[in-house]
Amino acid sequence: MPKLLYNYIIDLKYNFQEILIFFFFALLLFRFVEYLRHNREFFKKVSKIHGPPGLPIIGNAYIFLRNSADYMKTIEKLYYQYPKICKIWLGPNKTYCLLSDPEYIKIVLTNPKAIDKSDVYETITEVFGPGILTAPAKIWKPHRRAISPSFNKNILDSFVNIFAQASAEFVKRLREVGNKKDYDWSIFAKRYSLDVSCKTIIGVDLNINYAKPRGDDLGHAIEMINYYGTIKHLKVWYQVAAIYKFSSVKRIFEKYTKRFNKITTLAVGEKLHQLKENVDAVYSETEEKKRIPDLLELIYKNPIFTEESLIYEVNTFLAASMDTTGMVICTLFIMLAMHPDIQQKVYDEVIDAVGLTGEIESSNLVKMKYTERAIKESLRLFPPVVTFGRTITEDIDLGDIIIPKGMMAMVIPSILHRDPKYWKDPLTFNPDRFLLEEKSKRHPCTYIPFSYGARNCIGKYYAFQNLKTLTATVIREFKMCTSYKSVEEIEFSLQAVLTLTHGVKLWFEPRT
Ligand code: HEM
């Protein structure tokens, strides 16, 4: 090839590359300008909400390029730096407002324009399907209506028997390993919680393994899903589909998602088969009295549910109850261990209500008012659901400011519950904050461990009955001890459910 022609082709090739690059950036700029023009109204409204200055395209994402323990500190800083409401940009389609004013929180959480969940729940939906925790408003409404009657007081009180039996198993295990100081009690507590959930929700015993927690598939799968789901969400680079697609995080996450779904699909399928076979079963009066129908049995006949949607709901209940309740068990026991005087009061109340060996029933749980206040105070300092969010589907007027349609509202109970503006000596563990006369002095949205409004936690009463039963069973036989000295020492990180950074430093000494 003559040299001249060769040079000409090389030049053309490079020019062609330059032209391509030029067009690529021109297109990007054009799309960005179009995006700004199209969303002019939105940006105008958003600009009235204060927040940290953002960079073009990535907004405030640069602030969060750290690990999840630092995320909490960064968000806390923003919470106090921009009072009442703070705007946070995490890219062109991710505009959040962090709400810290209780009245704003109430307006949003009770607003029909804020029923849909925010993008924080995408990963949970991927795993568990659109159960009522994550479902969009049009599925959520009829499903919640159909499920709610099964969460009535009588039915949940009938579960106390199951909680008491499982608590006795828990205590049996404590007798064997309770004095171990380096034992991972969070796994143990979560196994207890999963065990009772399987028995009350699907009515099956999946042989949740207390003795060898890591060997049990279902519980381990949920933990892995939580862990890798959080990594996926918090590490900004995994938001780039191409990076996530080829990552080991995706591979492991999918492996455990499959494992979890295989187990629950099988269990629900078998249970539905059994229910359909026994549909005409007639029970004698005494049998009927003894029978404790599980939640699946109570809802499966409703025609709005398909077998697939029942699996989604069961998945949701298992996931929503295991880690939350498990974590409260740990933080409540740590708090009691750290405050021997309060532990003694709970012990005295339990002995008054049920004696040293009496059976625990719903009728004596009602008497445990101080224990209930201790659980509430523990939920104040350590709300297991660290954050929750809503997508705003129409503009919401907060009185002095508007949250525009398309924004996502976030609430962080773990920060709100320690805000000195609403809580005197916020880091002091004091169950008497929940005496009626004290409670009536506060705005209802200064304390929201179970959220607020139509999409609040459906399992709140269930959780209290369960926690009271377990606490009463354990405290009758053991003194709870911890090496934590103060609330300040107990750090936690921002995962789907609160996780203690330095572990659960608990052990149990038999009462003699
Ligand atoms: C102490 C334990 C618990 C805490 C702190 C807790 C907390 C919460 C919170 C904060 C929400 C709202 C999340 C949001 O707004 O996005 C929620 C929703 C939910 N929780 Fe719980 N939960 C607990 C136990 C349970 C239990 C035991 C069950 C089931 C047996 C359960 C089932 C649900 C369900 C199904 C939802 C979704 C409700 C809806 O959107 O209609 N939770 N929970």
Side-chain angles (χ1 to χ4, degrees):
M1 198 186 312
K3 198 161 186 233
L4 213 62
L5 182 62
Y6 175 78
N7 285 345
Y8 176 74
I9 291 171
I10 294 289
D11 269 4
L12 197 66
K13 193 175 148 200
Y14 283 116
N15 282 343
F16 186 63
Q17 275 176 358
E18 280 164 19
I19 290 166
L20 263 185
I21 291 168
F22 170 79
F23 272 112
F24 175 74
F25 279 106
L27 186 72
L28 215 63
L29 189 68
F30 174 74
R31 293 292 296 270
F32 187 60
V33 172
E34 266 297 283
Y35 168 77
L36 292 179
R37 207 174 57 80
H38 190 70
N39 293 291
R40 203 166 39 202
E41 270 308 297
F42 175 76
F43 290 119
K44 218 164 107 189
K45 287 174 188 163
V46 166
S47 69
K48 303 220 163 85
I49 304 176
H50 60 183
L55 295 173
I57 303 184
I58 65 160
N60 306 121
Y62 65 95
I63 306 178
F64 293 92
L65 284 167
R66 302 199 191 127
N67 68 38
S68 66
D70 276 346
Y71 269 39
M72 277 310 289
K73 291 197 179 110
T74 310
I75 292 179
E76 193 172 348
K77 231 163 115 186
L78 295 175
Y79 173 103
Y80 287 111
Q81 204 175 345
Y82 299 93
K84 292 176 86 171
I85 181 166
C86 169
K87 165 185 66 191
I88 302 172
W89 298 96
L90 291 182
N93 289 320
K94 287 184 185 282
T95 317
Y96 302 88
C97 57
L98 170 61
L99 301 176
S100 51
D101 180 84
E103 191 51 31
Y104 284 178
I105 294 174
K106 185 174 171 193
I107 296 172
V108 170
L109 293 182
T110 53
N111 205 305
K113 299 169 192 166
I115 291 288
D116 282 334
K117 296 291 176 89
S118 72
D119 64 343
V120 173
Y121 301 81
E122 276 167 12
T123 309
I124 306 177
T125 316
E126 230 175 87
V127 181
F128 304 115
I132 57 167
L133 176 66
T134 55
K138 72 175 192 303
I139 300 178
W140 167 78
K141 245 186 210 160
H143 280 211
R144 172 102 187 199
R145 207 177 301 131
I147 293 170
S148 287
S150 319
F151 274 78
N152 76 43
K153 189 174 171 306
N154 284 343
I155 290 166
L156 299 180
D157 280 347
S158 74
F159 291 162
V160 173
N161 259 336
I162 296 174
F163 301 152
Q165 277 167 23
S167 299
E169 275 298 308
F170 190 96
V171 160
K172 227 193 254 171
R173 185 79 185 125
L174 285 187
R175 281 193 207 112
E176 292 159 24
V177 288
N179 57 357
K180 274 195 189 174
K181 292 185 188 172
D182 55 353
Y183 199 78
D184 191 348
W185 290 105
S186 69
I187 292 183
F188 192 67
K190 286 174 190 173
R191 287 302 182 281
Y192 162 81
S193 166
L194 183 62
D195 186 26
V196 293
S197 296
C198 290
K199 288 171 180 159
T200 54
I201 292 161
I202 337 178
V204 295
D205 185 346
L206 287 181
N207 296 319
I208 301 302
N209 196 335
Y210 282 71
K212 204 172 136 231
R214 293 233 182 258
D216 136 52
D217 268 0
L218 189 62
H220 187 49
I222 299 182
E223 271 149 21
M224 291 294 107
I225 289 165
N226 267 342
Y227 182 71
Y228 286 97
T230 307
I231 292 187
K232 176 191 166 188
H233 201 79
L234 292 184
K235 305 290 177 198
V236 179
W237 52 93
Y238 288 132
Q239 305 301 321
V240 180
I243 297 182
Y244 180 64
K245 194 172 168 189
F246 296 104
S247 68
S248 58
V249 169
K250 177 174 186 280
R251 206 168 18 83
I252 302 175
F253 183 76
E254 286 180 351
K255 176 177 127 184
Y256 285 105
T257 299
K258 260 193 210 149
R259 190 175 290 182
F260 171 84
N261 277 302
K262 196 173 155 194
I263 301 170
T264 56
T265 304
L266 199 71
V268 173
E270 275 174 14
K271 177 72 193 200
L272 289 177
H273 180 71
Q274 240 178 51
L275 287 170
K276 284 170 194 161
E277 293 241 301
N278 285 345
V279 76
D280 298 322
V282 184
Y283 298 100
S284 70
E285 210 174 307
T286 24
E287 275 173 334
E288 193 60 59
K289 266 190 192 159
K290 275 193 194 160
R291 249 171 53 79
I292 304 176
D294 51 83
L295 292 170
L296 184 58
E297 181 174 347
L298 293 163
I299 62 171
Y300 86 102
K301 281 190 197 150
N302 192 315
I304 67 163
F305 293 117
T306 58
E307 181 162 339
E308 190 184 34
S309 66
L310 284 170
I311 294 168
Y312 295 154
E313 296 305 349
V314 165
N315 286 353
T316 298
F317 284 118
L318 295 183
S321 58
M322 174 178 126
D323 275 5
T324 49
T325 312
M327 211 55 232
V328 187
I329 294 169
C330 296
T331 49
L332 170 69
F333 287 5
I334 293 173
M335 285 299 99
L336 294 179
M338 239 168 66
H339 301 88
D341 51 332
I342 296 174
Q343 185 173 173
Q344 184 62 38
K345 279 190 187 173
V346 172
Y347 175 78
D348 291 344
E349 183 181 73
V350 167
I351 300 303
D352 269 359
V354 284
L356 274 171
T357 52
E359 263 185 43
I360 297 175
E361 290 166 356
S362 57
S363 58
N364 38 46
L365 291 185
V366 183
K367 298 177 201 157
M368 299 178 193
K369 296 282 181 217
Y370 188 76
T371 310
E372 188 170 314
R373 293 206 292 279
I375 297 171
K376 285 181 179 166
E377 176 66 340
S378 168
L379 280 162
R380 177 184 71 82
L381 283 167
F382 304 100
V385 180
V386 184
T387 172
F388 44 87
R390 301 280 185 275
T391 294
I392 309 300
T393 48
E394 290 298 328
D395 288 5
I396 293 183
D397 190 348
L398 296 178
D400 46 359
I401 202 148
I402 287 174
I403 312 184
K405 170 184 172 180
M407 223 175 178
M408 287 175 275
M410 302 302 297
V411 182
I412 319 264
S414 55
I415 304 177
L416 180 77
H417 289 180
R418 294 171 178 218
D419 187 338
K421 218 186 308 164
Y422 314 118
W423 303 94
K424 191 170 169 244
D425 301 326
L427 298 185
T428 305
F429 183 75
N430 174 12
D432 287 344
R433 295 179 199 272
F434 291 92
L435 285 168
L436 271 184
E437 61 270 26
E438 291 299 317
K439 199 178 146 204
S440 62
K441 293 179 196 161
R442 290 190 295 266
H443 189 292
C445 283
T446 49
Y447 179 73
I448 44 171
F450 295 97
S451 186
Y452 193 80
R455 273 202 108 154
N456 68 350
C457 177
I458 201 170
K460 180 177 165 182
Y461 185 68
Y462 177 115
F464 271 101
Q465 295 302 75
N466 189 4
L467 289 163
K468 278 170 142 182
T469 309
L470 179 71
T471 307
T473 314
V474 172
I475 212 165
R476 280 201 299 199
E477 296 213 25
F478 295 95
K479 266 191 191 150
M480 297 148 190
C481 310
T482 182
S483 52
Y484 279 120
K485 297 277 181 290
S486 67
V487 169
E488 289 93 320
E489 249 181 66
I490 309 172
E491 289 181 22
F492 52 86
S493 60
L494 183 66
Q495 296 201 6
V497 170
L498 181 135
T499 305
L500 300 186
T501 315
H502 306 296
V504 180
K505 301 177 183 176
L506 263 180
W507 68 97
F508 300 83
E509 285 177 0
R511 290 178 189 272
T512 44

